[in-house]
Amino acid sequence: MSLKVLIVDDSPLMRRFVERVLRMSGLELAECREATDGLDALAKIRESVPDIVLTDINMPTMDGESLIRCISEDSTMRDIPVIVISTDRTEFRMSRLMELGAKGYVAKPFNPEVLRAQLERVLGMQASA
Amino acid sequence: MSITQPSLHATNQDLLDAVCEVLDRMYFAALGPAEDAMPAADSALICMQVSFRGTLQGALWMRVYREAAMQLQDDFTAGSSQLALDDAARDAVGELCNIVCGSLLSNLDPHGEYRLDQPLPDKEMPFGGEQPHLSCALSVNDSLVEARLRWSQPQ
Ligand SMILES: [Mg+2]
């Protein structure tokens, strides 16, 4: 399967890192686009719907929580799985994000294998849904 | 000053462990004791600070030599960064500070709740000159990297 991915993070370096990890993990990427915050992500999703969104939480303008809420509340977007990549791995934050509709969670710092495992799990869930 | 419980037990080793974990897993850096760091010749310093609020409050400050920060951002992105060099070096140290801070707080207080502010450039002397509660230094790719943390009173 060739994937269309949207990476959302305010750090240009982090976006590069995530893309690098995706490519290293052997996934076939049809498209890898970037957004700098939640608002930018919504605009990019409206332009072209990705197979999966990987998002940071702590971002200016619109943070990751608000982005996940917007995606879950929009009938044209709610089927897009979202994986959160964040430094905050407290139980409070993780359960809150899952309640809002996130399908996976990767805590920074992470190994490439961890991100790949989350992607496979979430995409596997999609395929069997 | 009332400091919340997990922060009372935090040690310099906790901070050092968090810094090492991040540098090892995400920046693929060679780490060693601070004594192993080579003296940096005329390299400017990049200082970044991340403040946090919630069940734990305070700020983490990190200082990295510019040359070392360039190396870190290069290793982090495998040379694919398209930013101007100084912006990339600042982003590398800011993101490092951010990840170390989140990692440390999640380790110290996994049941807690907090928010990190955006990383901001800071002066060479953090916290208005007040003593840090935690500090550590280490050699990263032969260059000195320092981290300091100060808890603040919950609002
Ligand atoms: Mg961020």
Side-chain angles (χ1 to χ4, degrees):
Chain A
M1 177 186 177
S2 199
L3 273 186
K4 289 195 277 181
V5 181
L6 179 64
I7 301 169
V8 191
D9 201 302
D10 55 317
S11 160
L13 224 62
M14 199 62 213
R15 298 197 298 270
R16 287 266 89 83
F17 180 77
V18 173
E19 180 175 352
R20 176 187 170 199
V21 167
L22 291 176
R23 295 194 187 279
M24 270 165 60
S25 67
L27 287 161
E28 208 184 307
L29 299 182
E31 181 181 280
C32 192
R33 290 182 301 154
E34 297 180 10
T36 56
D37 61 41
L39 273 185
D40 189 25
L42 291 173
K44 298 261 161 71
I45 294 171
R46 287 192 190 100
E47 268 168 30
S48 156
V49 177
D51 296 315
I52 194 155
V53 174
L54 304 175
T55 186
D56 181 25
I57 290 301
N58 192 9
M59 297 179 287
T61 318
M62 183 195 270
D63 69 9
E65 271 192 29
S66 307
L67 170 64
I68 294 170
R69 191 178 300 113
C70 288
I71 290 177
S72 330
E73 285 171 358
D74 187 316
S75 58
T76 63
M77 296 186 192
R78 73 167 60 111
D79 291 335
I80 307 168
V82 179
I83 294 180
V84 172
I85 303 179
S86 172
T87 55
D88 185 343
R89 50 174 187 267
T90 54
E91 290 161 14
F92 163 79
R93 184 77 56 203
M94 296 227 253
S95 59
R96 183 174 164 76
L97 290 166
M98 293 303 166
E99 263 168 40
L100 284 174
K103 294 286 182 287
Y105 198 98
V106 176
K108 299 178 203 169
F110 60 89
N111 293 320
E113 301 81 58
V114 173
L115 179 57
R116 190 194 162 97
Q118 278 290 316
L119 272 165
E120 284 177 346
R121 188 185 64 77
V122 170
L123 293 168
M125 266 167 33
Q126 285 293 107
S128 61
Chain B
M1 168 165 166
S2 76
I3 294 175
T4 45
Q5 214 52 13
S7 64
L8 270 179
H9 298 294
T11 63
N12 290 339
Q13 187 64 44
D14 292 325
L15 178 58
L16 180 63
D17 288 347
V19 174
C20 289
E21 186 191 21
V22 175
L23 285 164
D24 177 55
R25 282 207 202 157
M26 295 184 81
Y27 290 77
F28 314 106
L31 309 178
E35 305 82 77
D36 288 0
M38 310 275 266
D42 296 332
S43 180
L45 286 157
I46 296 177
C47 307
M48 300 291 290
Q49 182 170 301
V50 168
S51 301
F52 49 94
R53 288 164 283 130
T55 44
L56 293 172
Q57 310 212 50
L60 174 73
W61 174 93
M62 291 190 76
R63 176 161 76 175
V64 180
Y65 284 101
R66 183 176 176 274
E67 300 301 316
M70 303 287 204
Q71 178 68 49
L72 284 177
Q73 70 89 16
D74 214 45
D75 294 342
F76 195 70
T77 63
S80 66
S81 171
Q82 290 152 354
L83 290 178
L85 287 180
D86 276 321
D87 291 340
R90 254 193 307 277
D91 192 16
V93 180
E95 199 54 28
L96 172 64
C97 205
N98 180 46
I99 303 172
V100 168
C101 190
S103 188
L104 178 75
L105 297 178
S106 301
N107 288 342
L108 291 178
D109 190 15
H111 308 294
E113 183 189 330
Y114 53 83
R115 273 195 176 275
L116 305 188
D117 289 341
Q118 300 295 322
L120 289 173
D122 200 22
K123 293 178 276 299
E124 276 191 37
M125 187 60 74
F127 318 132
E130 288 202 79
Q131 286 298 307
H133 291 114
L134 304 179
S135 64
C136 73
L138 70 163
S139 158
V140 179
N141 301 330
D142 297 324
S143 178
L144 189 69
V145 168
E146 291 162 278
R148 294 177 198 171
L149 182 140
R150 199 175 151 84
W151 307 114
S152 60
Q153 196 157 6
Q155 262 89 65

